[in-house]
Amino acid sequence: MPPNRTVSSMAEAMDYEAEVGLPLVIRPAYTLGGTGGGIANTPDEFRSIVDSGLSASPISQVLLERSLVGWKEIEYEVIRDGADNCITVCNMENLDPMGAHTGDSIVVAPSQTLTDKEYQMLRTASLKIIRGLGIEGGCNIQLASRPHPDAYYVIEVNPRVSRSSALASKATGYPIARVSAKIAVGKRLDEIPNEVTGTTGAAFEPALDYCVVKIPRWPFDKFPNGDRHITTQMKATGEVMAIDRSFEAALQKAVRSLEQGNSGVARNERKNWRKAVAGFIAAVPNDLRLWAVAAALRRGATRTELVAQTSIDPWFIAALERIVDQERRLLGNPLTPAVLWTSKRLGFSDSAIATLSGLLPEQVRQLRLQHGIKPVFKMVDTCAAEFEARTPYYYSAYDTENEAPPLEGPKAVVLGSGPIRIGQGIEFDYCSVHAAWALSEAGVASIMINSNPETVSTDFDTSDRLYFEPLDEEAIRDILDNETIDDKPPASLVQFGGQTAINLSQSLAAVGLPILGSSAEAIDIASDRQRFERFLDNLGIPQPPGATVASIAQALTVAQRIDYPVVVRPSYVLGGRAMEIVGNATELIRYLTIATEVTPERQVLVDHYIEGRECEVDAICDGETVLIPGIMEHVERAGVHSGDSMAIYPGLNLTEGEVDTLVEYTTRIGLALGIRGLMNIQFVLQETTVYVLEVNPRGSRTIPFISKVTGVPVAKLATRVMLGATLQELGYSGGLWPKQRLVGIKAPVFSMSKLSGVDWYMGPEMKSTGEVMGVDRNFAAALTKALQAASINLSPGMGVLLSISDQTKADSLSLIQGLAAANCQLYATEGTAAMINAMGLPVTTITKRIGEGSPDVLDVINDGTVGAVVNTLSGDTSVMEDGFYIRRAAVERRIPCFTSLDTARAAMESMLSGLDNYNILTTEEYLNTPGP
């Protein structure tokens, strides 16, 4: 192990730092994803990271160890049974050297740069460790290696399945979690069959005759102002995996799978992307480093220079050189069959070749098909073809033998949702998996296409056939060509893979490929803001006043006509991508210039912001009948993205007339659009009017929630409807499904503490990375469970810091009264404290101006005086405003930070529901009550 010391206080940490010096790596105990840790190069960084680590560790303990930045990082997945049989399932090598969390590293399997001596040395150490610890089941061991001399250190042992275990399972076909479960109940490895081959056992070490590359998916497209530097604290929200016959091909295929507009490592012509890459040098670990290295090679940097700058192994730099060299050939030579074949073998997509050779992607596709250049599909079989295998798990390669003949009989393709990211999470994998199961139950073979190793949909036994491929037009069309029999390609289900699959619907339909369920035309009407606006006008269904615009000038004209504040909504986006509420013309110009591109081809909707109650429904339509499993009411008012809102089933505050209107509008929209399958509709209620905000012609992130609280198998029913069944044939009538005798509450979960430099406030663009559900027989109990699960519950007597904007002060009175009733110690900034004093309640005034008084807002957060923060925003949401520092301090200390009064009020009411003898007045009642 590297020299280290475990400490439990700042004083102990400072003593060790004085003894050994910097740099040091700080690793908090009992945490995941490097939470709270980092690399300290200066005394200030050291104190800050140690403080964060002690706070993040549930036992207030951190490990301080020698920095090995620049060493190779290697992982071994090892498995052992109770009889001491032990094998290595997979070894993996990080392209990024030590200093980057493995979850934020590009990972290659099997390792490519170790000598056999190094490989065996690290393998032997890993087997000794799992035996020495007596682990039964899976184990992940991370090591640092340096070739000259042969030296290594053990960095970390995870005595459980890990993020890397899922990657290793998908990379090899060896199901680590399944085998570990059987070991846990007493089975030996030699007693457990290999499900892939059907003939060998689990004691057989997998062999790979291909290369696997994993690339993390970071959220910086959502948070362009965040700190993009990669350290030991993980920032990625998901990952993609690609398989091919060479490293170069697998790498470029993985880049395509990220769904960030890149067709490979090849140069990207998008101005904002070129600008972002230019802002980073290759030496600095960051999410754009791969492209920065490639850009440096194009500018003439040598392999030796880049190895010295980055500590990336020369083998990987040489591979990137081969890609860049092939770019030059494509730029300066005719597209001959030989050049085309070599390019495809190196992983160049049709789109990348087209950009470099001055053609259209469709022209490149037709040219290669004319020359007989098309991919074959190879099987992942765990044994490098040594034994016959029966697994239906395939990847594409430009090679000779095709191992995936088309499936016979009825079949359909399920398009998955790709990498987990903010706005498109595991909820869509739930939908894809249930769709595959429903197809199989209906006697239709399910063919799954996905690129995410973390999901159930990419388990080889979830569907009848799995293609581990990017979710782009080229890959989908190649797979459909491979599955075509008698010129009849299988139809695709596009409603379960989030916005990824919906966006593919238009390109598939354009080339005549069949889609199951709602037509591409219906999808486009619902997704295109301008067409949808006209559609609702024709139906006479209210929508907030506004218009679609194709230029900044048009946006300013529309905003002036409908009055500020306005909401700006791009088309074909998920998770509120690039949506914002703006309060004046200056903000509107800034937003349309920086956050989203507005052109005639990329029109956006500008509509008036209505601060009403928001509701949403998921519905199933068979063309004649519309079934609504339930209506969900949001705790937060409109303006907070539905994915960041707390949702209540059933809507407890809706009148019978409002419910009838919601059901009527949903039914009319579903039938008029010609929906076959799923749709999700967002509504806002203001006084007596119900407005439609948007319709999503697909499964939504609330499908798992509404399915679980109502008992209606939504994804399964939708799949059967897409196959041609009617709801009546499936035993369901139209209208609103009867209310269940329970209350379910969905609450969001955020990961903002991992993203330094990112402001935390709730708005139209989604920021949460997950969700939890609380269920009980009444609202208060369900709410308490949801808040506890999301770690945003309040406790009586705790300290609470309040900084309330002038616009929301009047609305905050009942919240403040409730906190005082629970004996919470109130701390407030100057203006808020004056209001609380006027209410006759005790409060401690805290200065908002950092460093100009003591204590200031950061002091009371960082020293633990307060356990929660309520900070509502003014109209200006610029990250430079004072409140930014309050919110960042709260999320970094991992305490609840409420930017919506509605959420804070719900947490307060949940806290009070556990107390006796309290009485909370509404704001109106309070204002009409004389005296304190």
Side-chain angles (χ1 to χ4, degrees):
M1 294 176 65
N4 65 75
R5 182 174 295 173
T6 302
V7 301
S8 299
S9 70
M10 181 64 74
E12 292 176 4
M14 296 301 293
D15 287 345
Y16 186 66
E17 186 267 332
E19 180 183 323
V20 301
L22 297 172
L24 286 171
V25 178
I26 297 94
R27 302 183 187 276
Y30 281 93
T31 59
L32 190 70
T35 299
I39 303 169
N41 294 296
T42 68
D44 286 345
E45 286 180 349
F46 182 76
R47 285 188 292 271
S48 175
I49 299 173
V50 169
D51 185 55
S52 174
L54 291 170
S55 173
S57 171
I59 60 171
S60 297
Q61 182 191 87
V62 299
L63 179 73
L64 308 178
E65 72 178 19
R66 172 188 166 191
S67 172
L68 300 176
V69 169
W71 288 45
K72 286 184 186 179
E73 185 164 2
I74 309 292
E75 294 184 72
Y76 277 77
E77 285 293 328
V78 196
I79 200 161
R80 175 182 175 272
D81 65 19
D84 203 34
N85 298 309
C86 192
I87 66 167
T88 54
V89 176
C90 184
N91 92 311
M92 295 169 281
E93 176 175 8
N94 289 8
L95 183 147
D96 300 282
M98 288 287 296
H101 189 279
T102 185
D104 276 349
S105 295
I106 297 174
V107 177
V108 185
S111 59
Q112 301 292 307
T113 71
L114 297 180
T115 65
D116 186 58
K117 180 182 177 182
E118 291 167 332
Y119 173 85
Q120 297 298 342
M121 175 178 69
L122 300 179
R123 179 180 182 276
T124 300
S126 300
L127 294 175
K128 283 182 178 178
I129 288 168
I130 192 172
R131 285 186 165 127
L133 289 171
I135 291 168
E136 295 182 20
C139 177
N140 169 260
I141 300 171
Q142 297 170 21
L143 308 108
S145 170
R146 187 170 63 183
H148 305 295
D150 291 334
Y152 75 92
Y153 285 115
V154 178
I155 301 302
E156 191 170 67
V157 176
N158 292 307
R160 51 168 171 77
V161 293
S162 65
R163 183 183 309 101
S164 297
S165 304
L167 176 65
S169 295
K170 301 299 167 69
T172 61
Y174 188 103
I176 293 172
R178 174 183 292 180
V179 173
S180 296
K182 292 186 177 184
I183 289 172
V185 294
K187 293 272 189 180
R188 299 192 311 268
L189 284 169
D190 58 297
E191 297 174 324
I192 302 170
N194 182 330
E195 299 288 340
V196 171
T197 64
T199 55
T200 59
F204 189 96
E205 288 197 351
L208 280 63
D209 55 356
Y210 47 79
C211 183
V212 175
V213 173
K214 178 219 87 176
I215 302 182
R217 178 60 155 85
W218 289 279
F220 297 118
D221 53 338
K222 282 274 190 182
F223 306 116
N225 294 319
D227 180 3
R228 304 181 86 123
H229 293 126
I230 303 303
T231 66
T232 60
Q233 180 165 275
M234 184 176 168
K235 296 179 179 180
T237 55
E239 62 192 38
V240 297
M241 185 186 95
I243 314 174
D244 215 307
R245 305 295 274 189
S246 70
F247 167 73
E248 294 91 334
L251 177 70
Q252 298 230 71
K253 193 186 284 186
V255 170
R256 287 164 55 194
S257 301
L258 289 171
E259 300 176 30
Q260 292 184 305
N262 293 300
S263 53
V265 181
R267 66 184 76 229
N268 190 304
E269 296 307 317
R270 288 183 297 150
K271 187 170 77 171
N272 59 348
W273 183 268
R274 292 202 312 272
K275 182 179 177 183
V277 171
F280 286 95
I281 58 172
V284 180
N286 59 78
D287 65 307
L288 301 175
R289 186 189 225 183
L290 178 65
W291 290 271
V293 171
L297 288 168
R298 292 187 195 103
R299 292 192 299 267
T302 67
R303 189 185 312 175
T304 303
E305 289 170 344
L306 286 171
V307 170
Q309 285 182 29
T310 66
S311 298
I312 296 173
D313 191 278
W315 190 92
F316 294 117
I317 303 293
L320 290 173
E321 276 185 314
R322 288 190 286 275
I323 292 173
V324 171
D325 288 344
Q326 189 63 19
E327 283 182 19
R328 296 190 180 110
R329 294 187 193 99
L330 286 165
L331 280 166
N333 295 289
L335 200 54
T336 64
V339 171
L340 195 49
W341 174 253
T342 303
S343 300
K344 298 307 287 185
R345 294 269 289 177
L346 284 170
F348 282 81
S349 65
D350 289 350
S351 178
I353 294 170
T355 299
L356 293 164
S357 58
L359 299 173
L360 295 172
E362 187 62 25
Q363 290 174 312
V364 174
R365 180 180 185 85
Q366 294 307 318
L367 186 61
R368 66 175 173 83
L369 291 178
Q370 287 172 24
H371 295 307
I373 300 174
K374 60 181 182 179
V376 296
F377 293 90
K378 299 289 188 180
M379 181 184 288
V380 175
D381 60 7
T382 76
C383 60
E386 185 175 350
F387 302 96
E388 185 177 354
R390 62 188 185 189
T391 177
Y393 178 6
Y394 299 98
Y395 64 95
S396 68
Y398 280 83
D399 213 309
T400 51
E401 183 186 3
N402 186 27
E403 299 174 7
L407 283 175
E408 300 287 343
K411 57 188 175 184
V413 171
V414 180
L415 300 185
S417 55
I420 292 172
R421 72 213 82 161
I422 294 175
Q424 189 161 302
I426 207 71
E427 308 93 339
F428 296 99
D429 191 64
Y430 168 98
C431 293
S432 299
V433 169
H434 281 263
W437 291 343
L439 288 172
S440 297
E441 287 176 19
V444 178
S446 57
I447 299 171
M448 183 70 69
I449 307 174
N450 207 355
S451 58
N452 187 338
E454 304 174 294
T455 57
V456 179
S457 64
T458 50
D459 286 353
F460 62 78
D461 56 357
T462 291
S463 52
D464 294 293
R465 178 168 279 191
L466 168 65
Y467 287 98
F468 217 109
E469 291 292 305
L471 286 155
D472 62 15
E473 182 184 346
E474 178 182 340
I476 304 301
R477 289 176 67 180
D478 286 339
I479 292 167
L480 293 174
D481 285 350
N482 189 64
E483 292 290 346
T484 296
I485 299 176
D486 297 331
D487 294 326
K488 293 181 179 177
S492 299
L493 282 75
V494 301
Q495 296 184 26
F496 300 106
Q499 205 61 41
T500 295
I502 280 294
N503 289 351
L504 285 165
S505 66
Q506 304 305 301
S507 54
L508 295 181
V511 294
L513 292 168
I515 293 172
L516 275 179
S518 303
S519 67
E521 174 71 2
I523 291 169
D524 190 56
I525 291 172
S527 302
D528 184 284
R529 299 291 184 187
Q530 187 172 33
R531 298 190 70 186
F532 184 65
E533 181 189 354
R534 291 198 298 264
F535 169 79
L536 285 184
D537 281 343
N538 292 336
L539 285 182
I541 292 177
Q543 58 188 313
T548 47
V549 299
S551 68
I552 292 177
Q554 289 180 6
L556 290 168
T557 301
V558 170
Q560 186 174 13
R561 174 170 57 84
I562 63 177
D563 199 14
Y564 292 97
V566 297
V567 185
V568 187
R569 310 174 194 268
S571 300
Y572 278 100
V573 295
L574 185 71
R577 177 74 186 95
M579 290 187 189
E580 189 61 272
I581 300 173
V582 294
N584 54 56
T586 303
E587 284 185 39
L588 183 59
I589 294 169
R590 177 189 60 81
Y591 169 77
L592 292 175
T593 304
I594 297 173
T596 189
E597 187 180 358
V598 53
T599 67
E601 294 75 34
R602 296 169 63 99
Q603 297 192 359
V604 300
L605 173 65
V606 177
D607 61 22
H608 183 65
Y609 168 55
I610 297 174
E611 190 181 27
R613 292 176 294 144
E614 193 163 341
C615 298
E616 66 179 304
V617 300
D618 290 302
I620 308 160
C621 182
D622 62 9
E624 299 175 357
T625 306
V626 177
L627 170 64
I628 303 168
I631 297 173
M632 292 160 280
E633 181 183 6
H634 295 180
V635 168
E636 293 79 6
R637 277 162 281 193
V640 174
H641 189 276
S642 61
D644 287 349
S645 296
M646 296 179 66
I648 307 166
Y649 166 86
L652 300 177
N653 299 307
L654 299 174
T655 66
E656 187 176 339
E658 289 169 338
V659 169
D660 290 343
T661 301
L662 293 171
V663 171
E664 179 204 341
Y665 286 175
T666 302
T667 303
R668 288 172 58 195
I669 289 170
L671 296 178
L673 272 176
I675 294 291
R676 298 290 192 283
L678 287 170
M679 67 174 178
N680 168 270
I681 306 183
Q682 311 274 333
F683 300 95
V684 61
L685 286 66
Q686 188 183 52
E687 298 176 351
T688 59
T689 304
V690 176
Y691 297 93
V692 172
L693 292 178
E694 63 181 5
V695 173
N696 297 304
R698 53 165 170 78
S700 73
R701 72 181 55 79
T702 50
I703 294 294
F705 172 71
I706 203 68
S707 298
K708 288 169 182 175
V709 295
T710 64
V712 177
V714 178
K716 176 180 177 179
L717 289 180
T719 304
R720 295 298 302 274
V721 165
M722 291 180 209
L723 291 174
T726 66
L727 286 166
Q728 188 172 5
E729 290 170 348
L730 298 170
Y732 291 82
S733 57
L736 182 62
W737 185 252
K739 284 184 184 180
Q740 303 303 295
R741 295 177 57 197
L742 53 78
V743 175
I745 298 179
K746 173 195 74 97
V749 176
F750 299 87
S751 305
M752 304 305 293
S753 61
K754 303 287 184 74
L755 301 171
S756 56
V758 173
D759 197 0
W760 153 237
Y761 60 89
M762 295 202 297
E765 182 156 5
M766 185 174 167
K767 294 182 173 72
S768 61
T769 51
E771 62 191 35
V772 295
M773 183 170 83
V775 183
D776 213 299
R777 292 296 185 188
N778 62 70
F779 172 75
L783 177 63
T784 298
K785 289 179 180 178
L787 292 170
Q788 287 176 348
S791 299
I792 55 172
N793 53 305
L794 301 177
S795 303
M798 75 187 310
V800 180
L801 174 64
L802 298 129
S803 182
I804 310 295
S805 68
D806 290 341
Q807 294 95 319
T808 55
K809 276 188 168 66
D811 201 20
S812 69
L813 301 179
S814 61
L815 166 67
I816 294 166
Q817 185 197 14
L819 294 172
N823 294 319
C824 290
Q825 305 303 304
L826 302 184
Y827 299 81
T829 52
E830 292 89 341
T832 307
M835 178 185 72
I836 297 174
N837 276 319
M839 295 170 67
L841 297 174
V843 62
T844 302
T845 303
I846 306 295
T847 181
K848 189 160 52 174
R849 291 177 290 279
I850 311 301
E852 294 188 16
S854 182
D856 61 30
V857 287
L858 298 190
D859 293 332
V860 294
I861 295 171
N862 291 330
D863 65 15
T865 299
V866 299
V869 171
V870 181
N871 174 224
T872 60
L873 298 176
S874 64
D876 178 15
T877 57
S878 167
V879 295
M880 297 308 293
E881 66 177 301
D882 294 338
F884 168 76
Y885 300 103
I886 298 174
R887 297 187 290 275
R888 273 311 309 174
V891 298
E892 286 173 10
R893 293 292 297 185
R894 295 164 190 84
I895 63 175
C897 178
F898 301 100
T899 63
S900 163
L901 287 179
D902 300 318
T903 319
R905 194 176 291 111
M908 176 269 292
E909 290 172 357
S910 170
M911 172 177 61
L912 288 176
S913 68
L915 303 177
D916 295 326
N917 303 319
Y918 74 92
N919 178 37
I920 294 300
L921 306 178
T922 66
T923 299
E924 186 177 2
E925 289 171 335
Y926 179 82
L927 292 173
N928 292 328
T929 303

